[in-house]
Amino acid sequence: MITPNLATAISELGGLIEDADRILPFTGAGISTECGIPDFRSPCGLWIKNQPIPFDVFMASGEMRDESWRRRFVMEEIFAKAKPGRGHRALASLYRAGKVPALLTQNIDNLHQDSGIATQDIVELHGNTTYALCLECETRYELSWVREKFDTSGQHAPDCSCGGHIKTATVSFGQAMPVDAMRRGEELTRHCDLFLAVGSSLVVWPAAGFPPMAKHNGAALVIINREPTEFDALADLVVRGDIGDVLAPFIAG
Ligand code: APR
């Protein structure tokens, strides 16, 4: 069912939330656009302006590692000042109410953590851009350290003392998905009774496989997104509206 208007959407969604015991939010970049962070595939999205740097290219080219870090630091002001939006706060309210045991996200902006959901209850399928890791020895590096090395070396990406390349703790195209996150994501998906896909175009696999998996395991499927997705026909409820407007009524406190 595609809801005809916001009031119907909120009423229908409220009924499903009321009836559910184990809600699994699955978020994409659309939940963070009202926080000032662009998404990827909207007309002003990041992949419209820049082609993503595939993992093998990052590993093979020092120039592309420099470019990757240049792009990340161009975004630093946006990421640093972003605060959780109405969607994040509504999901955090449902988490505090005991309706959301854990949350699955494709986002890398740390805003679900900032909204008060415990880190151990957030499954980051595509990692986190607020810190960096050595790809060899997995040493953690803070962005301030990388930035200082980057700036004082004439905008060159630093390497780890072990010789490994340092990259934000995100998953690039062509990079292996985090095994634990995928396993936990699948477990949560199979056991939820309401799957809320919020702000994702649902085009990137294997993450896009979770909504149909939830539905095929008996959960109700809700898709909240401005644009149509390929899973709309499978959903019990499709809300084609602004995430903040739709979820604001579920913010408690
Ligand atoms: N309200 C409702 N929908 C919105 C809003 C909003 N305020 N802002 C954006 N959207 C919608 C867009 O219309 C779009 O369909 O959110 C969706 C975001 O889709 P994408 O930009 O494709 O982002 P996402 O689905 O998270 O991308 C998945 O792709 O590039 C990789 O790793 C990256 O995790 C990302 C993955």
Side-chain angles (χ1 to χ4, degrees):
M1 166 196 179
I2 298 182
T3 54
N5 57 56
L6 183 60
T8 308
I10 291 167
S11 165
E12 292 289 328
L13 179 59
L16 288 169
I17 287 173
E18 182 68 31
D19 295 346
D21 295 316
R22 295 177 314 285
I23 300 172
L24 181 58
F26 171 83
T27 61
I31 200 172
S32 298
T33 52
E34 80 167 31
C35 314
I37 301 174
D39 65 14
F40 296 95
R41 295 172 182 84
S42 286
C44 299
L46 291 172
W47 293 159
I48 307 302
K49 294 178 190 154
N50 282 314
Q51 280 300 313
I53 298 173
F55 185 62
D56 57 347
V57 172
F58 178 93
M59 294 303 284
S61 161
E63 267 178 54
M64 291 315 284
R65 288 193 291 278
D66 297 348
E67 168 63 7
S68 176
W69 278 108
R70 192 194 60 74
R71 286 184 191 181
R72 175 58 183 84
F73 290 132
V74 162
M75 290 286 290
E76 182 53 19
E77 190 183 341
I78 289 174
F79 278 119
K81 71 181 179 187
K83 296 280 179 279
R86 292 172 294 168
H88 297 96
R89 290 166 41 220
L91 297 180
S93 297
L94 293 173
Y95 170 78
R96 282 191 293 274
K99 284 266 186 182
V100 170
L103 176 141
L104 210 40
T105 187
Q106 300 172 96
N107 296 344
I108 59 175
D109 54 32
N110 211 68
L111 288 180
H112 287 303
Q113 289 90 332
D114 294 347
S115 73
I117 297 178
T119 299
Q120 66 266 25
D121 294 329
I122 297 169
V123 179
E124 292 180 315
L125 296 169
H126 296 156
N128 187 303
T129 195
T130 62
Y131 62 94
L133 295 171
C134 169
L135 293 166
E136 278 300 317
C137 66
E138 297 189 345
T139 297
R140 174 174 169 141
Y141 285 89
E142 298 313 318
L143 295 190
S144 52
W145 180 91
V146 179
R147 183 78 187 255
E148 196 269 331
K149 297 292 181 195
F150 184 78
D151 287 344
T152 54
S153 67
Q155 300 221 321
H156 292 299
D159 280 339
C160 177
S161 50
C162 82
H165 298 321
I166 297 172
K167 181 176 173 292
T168 54
T170 57
V171 181
S172 299
F173 286 105
Q175 189 171 359
M177 288 293 284
V179 174
D180 287 348
M182 284 302 292
R183 182 191 47 71
R184 186 133 179 257
E186 185 165 335
E187 187 184 323
L188 288 164
T189 297
R190 291 187 187 285
H191 292 97
C192 71
D193 56 5
L194 175 58
F195 190 97
L196 289 183
V198 182
S200 178
S201 58
L202 302 179
V203 298
V204 173
W205 290 77
F210 285 121
M213 185 190 291
K215 183 67 186 167
H216 295 144
N217 275 272
L221 174 60
V222 174
I223 296 174
I224 305 173
N225 204 58
R226 204 160 43 200
E227 308 286 328
T229 78
E230 68 169 292
F231 296 112
D232 287 357
L234 192 65
D236 297 272
L237 182 68
V238 174
V239 181
R240 206 157 289 154
D242 179 84
I243 291 163
D245 292 344
V246 173
L247 292 180
F250 301 96
I251 296 172

